[in-house]
Amino acid sequence: MKMTKIYEGSHQWIMFGRDEGKPGNIIDTNQYVVRTANRCLLLDPGGAELFAPMMAAVLHHAPVDQITDLFASHQDPDVISSLGLWDQALTNAKLHAPAFWEGFLRHYSCESIEYVGIPDNGGTIKLESVELQLIPAHYLHSSANFHVYDPQAKILMTGDVGAAIEGPDTPVFVENFSAHVEKMRHWHQRIMPSNQAKRVWIERVRNLDVDILAPQHGRMFKGDDVKRFLDWFDALQVGIAV
Amino acid sequence: MTNQTKSQFIAVASITSELSAVMVVAKEISLAAANAKAIAFRAGDKAKGFQPITDFINELAKETIELVTNINIYALVLYRLTVNEFQKTVAYNKFELASKMAGDAVYAKSMQEPVEHAKLSMQDCQRQFKRDVSQLLGQLEAVMHHARAARVIAANSRIEASQAGEYLQSLQAVAESVDKAAHTIHDNVQRCRIALSIYRNS
Ligand SMILES: [Fe+2]
Ligand SMILES: [Fe+2]
């Protein structure tokens, strides 16, 4: 598992991904970790297949008992089918996930972990002195969906928005935006169902100060590429399969 | 899924299917008893010896149904336990793998506790499964006992039927069906016991 520190301040953001040991037939995912002095939050911790390499990678940054919080942007298996394993490994942890999906996500087993349902209008996760905002991103692509914004690090974790499906050795940041566009087009047109939801989300995100836009698949967008992505996404027609 | 887990799932599932067949047959016996009672009533004095036997058959059928109902509940518990054990085993293996993959990571040692804990809960499940299997085998033995008793009764019924004059044939048919049913129950339960016996608490 490749680890890339993407923010270092009073706390840290680390991106995990490009796992070499991953079976070829499952989608490659990016996991993000927010690390404060004594706590650790895993954003979209990944599928069951990824549990062991992910846990092993996190152990370079935090001991197990300091993994206190998990976040699931939505209910997809590539996001959180590892829940049942985290549930057995962690004591006193919380899962922050859409309230709407609680009855669904509990199918993965969530007994010792406390399910903290995020209401439709969003909320926050407090990690010691760090306060992360949970930004509603419903219908992008899941009907109950949230993104995580860190105003201090200026990072917006966007789940499946901004994703691209590429090979295992892909760089972690977009280097040439116009070349990258073709890798994103079909994914966004096919997986995102609603132009209206997209418009509302873009408006919301344009009001945030974002340095890094961090999707769950593919490459992150940095600096001016964030604005480029928003403009490109704004102009894109989605929900094309009907 | 390991072969051991697979065969455990199959063993538990086979109990449920064998027992549902036993249930059907036990209900047949109960029906045969009601039938015999009616015939014996019509036969009057000629089937005097047969009347208490029909009550006995009925009682036996009822008890068997009750036993099987209880065993079915037990089998469900056993099934849940098997699922649980499977999940615990998966977790233990993944935790061990994570621990190995962590190598010389700064916090690699912190994984020891979850590994140990997972191992203990997995072993707990295995022990509890063995304990419950032993109890279930005991209950199955009780059903076998009933089946053997039913066969003895069937033999007695045949003797009593021979004195029932024109009712001989219909009473003999009752005795026959009880015997056949008891035989089926015996065989099915025996198969359950064989499937489970390898997990018995030694
Ligand atoms: Fe998704
Ligand atoms: Fe995804």
Side-chain angles (χ1 to χ4, degrees):
Chain A
M1 184 85 69
K2 196 168 169 181
M3 301 181 251
T4 314
K5 200 165 282 178
I6 57 173
Y7 176 75
E8 173 95 72
S10 70
H11 61 289
Q12 300 173 338
W13 274 73
I14 307 132
M15 180 248 205
F16 298 75
R18 314 292 189 264
D19 181 33
E20 328 67 45
K22 174 189 83 64
N25 51 3
I26 62 172
I27 190 168
D28 188 37
T29 50
N30 304 330
Q31 290 71 238
Y32 298 91
V33 165
V34 180
R35 173 73 168 136
T36 58
N38 303 296
R39 285 173 67 182
C40 188
L41 160 70
L42 274 48
L43 306 178
D44 285 1
E49 283 287 346
L50 215 77
F51 171 82
M54 183 58 193
M55 174 64 106
V58 174
L59 293 177
H60 287 272
H61 303 273
V64 177
D65 62 336
Q66 289 189 11
I67 305 173
T68 52
D69 297 80
L70 307 178
F71 164 81
S73 60
H74 60 292
Q75 85 292 10
D76 269 352
D78 64 324
V79 168
I80 188 69
S81 65
S82 55
L83 179 60
L85 292 162
W86 293 107
D87 191 51
Q88 292 184 66
L90 308 180
T91 41
N92 293 322
K94 289 184 167 83
L95 168 68
H96 307 266
F100 186 80
W101 294 124
E102 178 167 355
F104 296 71
L105 286 178
R106 284 190 181 278
H107 275 285
Y108 289 131
S109 183
C110 181
E111 278 157 32
S112 75
I113 290 179
E114 182 193 345
Y115 193 109
V116 183
I118 308 165
D120 275 352
N121 61 352
T124 56
I125 298 176
K126 252 194 94 78
L127 215 62
E128 301 191 86
S129 63
V130 178
E131 191 172 275
L132 303 166
Q133 298 171 12
L134 302 172
I135 311 290
H138 305 310
Y139 304 105
L140 295 173
H141 65 94
S142 169
S143 34
N145 205 134
F146 293 94
H147 295 161
V148 177
Y149 178 60
D150 181 343
Q152 207 177 319
K154 297 180 183 168
I155 295 174
L156 178 66
M157 188 274 186
T158 54
D160 284 325
V161 175
I165 310 303
E166 290 186 81
D169 301 322
T170 311
V172 294
F173 281 104
V174 171
E175 288 155 358
N176 179 341
F177 185 82
S178 43
H180 191 63
V181 160
E182 282 319 306
K183 294 171 185 156
M184 302 191 288
R185 187 187 306 278
H186 182 258
W187 166 272
H188 286 83
Q189 288 191 315
R190 183 63 184 85
I191 206 172
M192 301 300 165
S194 161
N195 286 309
Q196 189 196 342
K198 178 174 70 90
R199 221 166 16 248
V200 170
W201 178 83
I202 289 171
E203 211 168 289
R204 197 172 283 144
V205 172
R206 279 194 170 130
N207 287 321
L208 304 174
D209 187 2
V210 179
D211 255 2
I212 295 178
L213 190 144
Q216 194 223 353
H217 311 276
R219 310 185 194 198
M220 294 176 280
F221 301 80
K222 205 176 185 173
D224 290 341
D225 281 340
V226 175
K227 189 187 172 304
R228 282 189 196 105
F229 172 76
L230 293 177
D231 291 344
W232 170 81
F233 194 32
D234 204 5
L236 191 74
Q237 282 296 309
V238 300
I240 56 158
V242 283
Chain B
M1 201 183 272
T2 63
N3 282 340
Q4 153 86 29
T5 329
K6 259 186 208 160
S7 51
Q8 192 168 317
F9 268 113
I10 292 166
V12 173
S14 75
I15 304 170
T16 320
S17 81
E18 297 284 4
L19 288 183
S20 69
V22 167
M23 203 65 151
V24 171
V25 173
K27 281 175 184 159
E28 271 169 30
I29 296 185
S30 159
L31 208 69
N35 203 14
K37 207 178 166 95
I39 299 167
F41 182 75
R42 260 184 280 139
D45 276 353
K46 285 180 202 154
K48 215 169 187 145
F50 209 95
Q51 270 164 11
I53 290 178
T54 59
D55 289 337
F56 205 67
I57 296 173
N58 191 31
E59 204 53 38
L60 208 58
K62 260 188 11 209
E63 276 174 22
T64 304
I65 291 169
E66 216 168 280
L67 260 171
V68 172
T69 308
N70 279 337
I71 294 174
N72 266 330
I73 295 168
Y74 229 92
L76 194 66
V77 171
L78 222 51
Y79 172 73
R80 291 208 181 110
L81 211 54
T82 306
V83 173
N84 206 356
E85 186 185 324
F86 170 63
Q87 284 168 344
K88 295 269 149 71
T89 308
V90 169
Y92 170 63
N93 292 335
K94 298 246 182 198
F95 291 5
E96 268 218 319
L97 179 62
S99 195
K100 204 179 293 164
M101 289 175 92
D104 55 0
V106 194
Y107 301 104
K109 281 213 164 59
S110 71
M111 199 55 208
Q112 262 337 95
E113 204 185 304
V115 169
E116 271 312 303
H117 187 261
K119 190 177 181 179
L120 288 177
S121 21
M122 178 183 75
Q123 289 168 340
D124 250 12
C125 279
Q126 287 163 349
R127 262 195 301 275
Q128 204 182 332
F129 185 81
K130 281 190 173 164
R131 226 179 6 246
D132 285 4
V133 162
S134 293
Q135 291 209 22
L136 190 70
L137 282 168
Q139 286 178 306
L140 288 172
E141 175 61 44
V143 177
M144 296 276 276
H145 194 79
H146 276 65
R148 279 194 290 268
R151 297 204 68 190
V152 173
I153 293 170
N156 286 341
S157 308
R158 261 192 223 106
I159 299 167
E160 290 296 335
S162 66
Q163 284 149 33
E166 71 264 41
Y167 295 100
L168 179 135
Q169 258 187 346
S170 35
L171 286 179
Q172 230 159 24
V174 169
E176 218 50 59
S177 74
V178 170
D179 190 54
K180 217 177 115 208
H183 206 89
T184 310
I185 292 178
H186 189 277
D187 285 358
N188 284 25
V189 172
Q190 183 67 347
R191 276 199 295 273
C192 285
R193 293 176 69 208
I194 291 167
L196 286 178
S197 59
I198 51 164
Y199 304 104
R200 142 175 267 149
N201 226 343
S202 44

